[in-house]
Amino acid sequence: MAEGKELIELKFRIYDGTDIAHSTYASSMTVATLKQKIVAEWPQDKTVIPKSINDLKLIHAGRVLENNKSLADSRITFGDLPVGVITMHVVVQPTTIAKNKTEKSKEDMQKPNSCRCVIL
């Protein structure tokens, strides 16, 4: 096959152990494109549903994959494996939750020090 046209068989495991979007993908496909496919195929009966690709994190071999990189750039290990499927984990982190955590931590940082020390 031509360079960049190598195919990788992937499936994506979500928080409850369900596998989705099991298919063969080109190694030149970007992580952002994969996330779009996952959002489109997300089961609607789940309690947590991503609204955009920014709500998802893809994890492979303990690393969070970057949206702007291709599968080949992300060093997805496809050459060393015998015929098989690579499972990636999908973490859903809605942006509203992340914003609330950030706002709370800023408030905590602005709290005055309550220590009342007397220096003699």
Side-chain angles (χ1 to χ4, degrees):
M1 283 185 207
E3 190 175 320
K5 297 295 182 188
E6 192 160 356
L7 298 176
I8 308 167
E9 189 175 0
L10 300 173
K11 65 181 176 181
F12 302 92
R13 184 153 297 154
I14 62 176
Y15 63 92
D16 67 353
T18 305
D19 292 334
I20 61 173
H22 183 177
S23 189
T24 304
Y25 301 92
S27 61
S28 59
M29 180 178 276
T30 65
V31 172
T33 304
L34 279 176
K35 286 182 176 183
Q36 288 172 345
K37 183 170 177 62
I38 292 168
V39 169
E41 293 187 19
W42 194 270
Q44 296 301 305
D45 62 339
K46 301 298 178 188
T47 56
V48 178
I49 299 173
K51 294 182 177 138
S52 73
I53 65 169
N54 295 327
D55 293 347
L56 296 179
K57 295 195 185 310
L58 291 184
I59 301 172
H60 173 69
R63 292 180 297 133
V64 177
L65 304 183
E66 297 176 34
N67 287 346
N68 60 342
K69 291 191 175 182
S70 69
L71 293 174
D73 292 340
S74 299
R75 298 184 189 153
I76 304 303
T77 51
F78 52 88
D80 299 333
L81 295 176
V83 177
V85 180
I86 296 172
T87 302
M88 291 190 186
H89 294 271
V90 181
V91 176
V92 180
Q93 185 177 13
T95 52
T96 56
I97 291 173
K99 286 180 182 176
N100 289 340
K101 285 183 181 179
T102 305
E103 289 171 5
K104 185 175 181 180
S105 64
K106 284 180 183 177
E107 289 173 8
D108 289 342
M109 290 174 51
Q110 293 175 354
K111 286 183 180 176
N113 187 353
S114 63
C115 178
R116 296 194 174 142
C117 302
V118 178
I119 301 174
L120 298 173

